Amino acid sequence: MARMDAEVAVVGLGAWGSATLWRLAAEGVDAIGFDRFTPGHSLGSSHGGSRMFRITCLEHPGLVPLARRSRELWSQLEDSAGEQLFFPTGGLLIGPKDGHIAGGTLRASRTHDIKVRTLSARALAFRFPRHTAVPDHHMGVWEPSAGIIRPERAVQAAVRLAAEAGARVYPDTRIIAMKKVPGGVLLRTAERAVRVRQVVVTVGSWLSSLVPGLPLETLRMPITWFRPLEADRAFDLDRFPVFMRELDDGRVVWGNGAEGGFDVKLGLEERGQVSKPIDPDDSDRSVTPDDWADLSRLLPAKIPGLEPLPAKVAVCMLTRTPDGQFVIGRPGGDPRVVVAGGDNAHGFKHATGIGEALADIVRGGTTKVDLDFLAPDRFR
Ligand SMILES: Cc1cc2nc3c(=O)[nH]c(=O)nc-3n(C[C@H](O)[C@H](O)[C@H](O)COP(=O)(O)OP(=O)(O)OC[C@H]3O[C@@H](n4cnc5c(N)ncnc54)[C@H](O)[C@@H]3O)c2cc1C
């Protein structure tokens, strides 16, 4: 058999791949990691200063145990890295009582015995004064275990720890081709070929370029930061904590208060007009008024007190699957390839748990949390 350059290659060192490389290296696996850009960059899905963490995963009951395990691992990552990455602020899920966001959160909390507190629209406005415009037939669900995570620093910390544990890391190195060969996989960069026994493909929105055949769609998703009309402590993170708010028309505004030098961060869920399918390699990253127009229009009525024009805009990408769930496992059961993608814009919080699960899959073990419902072959 030809000589292997490493046991395992992790291709793509964003949120999921960096955590995978960290867990593999920590377990003593001979691993090598590649990213086409410098880890912690702003050209994929893992940038923008903050990501919401919550246990009440209304997206699928199977994600709650993954979020719980991820929370433990976020602490472990922080301890090992010696820096705070997770900020336990608590979080608000707001909307119609029987709606997707507040209603779904309440259902998830009851099914999985997650501590939450419900707030009427009046109680919500009293405790969180910038959520005054919530109508009476809506409610708030307060999840004390929610918080925000620093995405760029988390990625960089995981890559650094992986390297310290022995992983070889190649930033700014794109894998341009991937070919299965007997007993392994041959990866090609512009300069050389690398032979490994297994590859973990965690390239986010670029997954279809290396692993065709999965029903994935990449979408553009802007992030916007707004300033208060006048100095206003009620828009600070402690009084305007991370939230998702469903409106009567089904759109969802999400965000968090000003903190750490950032203004008030807001976004509008993908059903907004600007969220159109894109080719991740052919994406115009410049922003246009389309990126904030819908959100700006609804702010005065829904979250009054903010400047109508954003102070800053960034563009992010998400990858959608037909059922809204991730894709994690071995396509076709091939022992040489593991994939993880299809984040559907709710995957950051699970990055550490997913990294551990991918490392377990690579090592031939069972995952601590059952992820069979995310198997890539469910689409066949
Ligand atoms: C606007 C927005 C808000 C979000 N908010 C939340 C939130 O609050 N909470 C939450 O849990 N989730 C949230 N998400 C989702 C979350 O950010 C993603 O699920 C997560 O970042 C996905 O990480 P990833 O590793 O799959 O992708 P990425 O971080 O994009 O990583 C993929 C990596 O692969 C690299 N790559 C690509 N092709 C190659 C190649 N050929 N060779 C080498 N490297 C390659 C890229 O450079 C990139 O670094 C949000 C997403 C968006 C877009």
Side-chain angles (χ1 to χ4, degrees):
M1 179 179 292
R3 204 181 60 78
M4 295 290 161
D5 294 294
E7 274 300 308
V8 185
V10 179
V11 180
L13 301 176
W16 292 5
S18 62
T20 308
L21 194 67
W22 170 50
R23 293 321 306 154
L24 282 168
E27 298 292 339
V29 177
D30 171 29
I32 184 168
F34 299 93
D35 200 288
R36 64 189 290 169
F37 304 118
T38 305
H41 64 82
S42 59
L43 298 165
S45 303
S46 303
H47 57 278
S50 63
R51 285 289 183 274
M52 182 183 204
F53 177 90
R54 61 196 148 84
I55 305 274
T56 50
C57 296
L58 47 98
E59 294 85 0
H60 194 285
L63 292 175
V64 172
L66 184 63
R68 285 192 159 126
R69 178 62 189 147
S70 297
R71 179 68 185 92
E72 292 168 359
L73 288 164
W74 284 118
S75 294
Q76 198 173 315
L77 181 68
E78 287 182 306
D79 289 348
S80 304
E83 63 175 315
Q84 187 175 8
L85 302 166
F86 188 109
F87 295 76
T89 58
L92 279 171
L93 293 305
I94 305 168
K97 292 173 183 156
D98 55 354
H100 174 58
I101 297 295
T105 299
L106 213 46
R107 282 190 289 279
S109 73
R110 285 179 184 143
T111 308
H112 296 276
D113 198 20
I114 303 162
K115 201 173 130 200
V116 296
R117 195 135 52 83
T118 56
L119 297 163
S120 67
R122 273 183 69 180
L124 188 66
F126 182 73
R127 176 145 175 221
F128 303 103
R130 289 301 159 256
H131 283 296
T132 40
V134 174
D136 283 345
H137 62 287
H138 288 206
M139 68 185 289
V141 183
W142 170 248
E143 183 189 321
S145 46
I148 59 169
I149 309 169
R150 296 261 181 254
E152 296 90 345
R153 280 170 41 200
V155 166
Q156 286 163 346
V159 170
R160 191 176 72 246
L161 289 171
E164 285 169 14
R168 282 163 285 159
V169 178
Y170 291 86
D172 305 302
T173 306
R174 180 179 171 185
I175 299 300
I176 52 177
M178 200 178 100
K179 187 175 167 214
K180 294 177 197 167
V181 293
V185 179
L186 194 65
L187 303 171
R188 288 199 180 280
T189 72
E191 286 113 21
R192 64 179 183 130
V194 178
R195 193 179 286 264
V196 291
R197 220 172 286 282
Q198 293 189 57
V199 61
V200 182
V201 190
T202 43
V203 291
S205 294
W206 291 269
L207 186 53
S208 294
S209 67
L210 289 179
V211 184
L214 293 164
L216 304 174
E217 187 177 41
T218 297
L219 301 173
R220 174 190 170 94
M221 198 166 173
I223 313 174
T224 31
W225 287 264
F226 291 84
R227 290 202 177 125
L229 288 165
E230 53 195 40
D232 187 352
R233 279 264 306 119
F235 272 120
D236 286 356
L237 183 63
D238 56 338
R239 300 178 73 192
F240 196 66
V242 64
F243 73 95
M244 291 173 75
R245 179 167 155 198
E246 183 177 1
L247 307 178
D248 274 325
D249 63 7
R251 288 186 297 174
V252 175
V253 185
W254 47 261
N256 59 256
E259 50 91 33
F262 290 100
D263 293 314
V264 179
K265 179 181 177 182
L266 295 174
L268 191 58
E269 202 183 74
E270 64 191 68
R271 272 169 277 181
Q273 279 182 359
V274 288
S275 196
K276 50 181 186 277
I278 52 165
D279 171 354
D281 269 328
D282 186 25
S283 169
D284 181 358
R285 311 281 164 147
S286 58
V287 298
T288 74
D290 277 353
D291 288 319
W292 64 79
D294 285 352
L295 186 55
S296 280
R297 254 194 302 274
L298 58 81
L299 282 185
K302 305 298 178 192
I303 309 179
L306 292 170
E307 296 268 5
L309 290 180
K312 184 179 158 194
V313 185
V315 175
C316 198
M317 295 191 291
L318 71 107
T319 314
R320 193 156 63 185
T321 57
D323 61 4
Q325 303 302 332
F326 312 146
V327 177
I328 295 179
R330 296 188 185 279
D334 195 312
R336 295 164 293 185
V337 180
V338 183
V339 302
D343 74 288
N344 289 283
H346 59 96
F348 194 90
K349 65 182 78 55
H350 302 292
T352 45
I354 288 172
E356 178 181 65
L358 294 175
D360 287 341
I361 294 171
V362 161
R363 293 162 66 232
T366 47
T367 54
K368 288 187 184 55
V369 173
D370 178 16
L371 299 182
D372 286 353
F373 68 104
L374 303 173
D377 290 353
R378 72 182 186 276
F379 296 118
R380 287 183 169 213

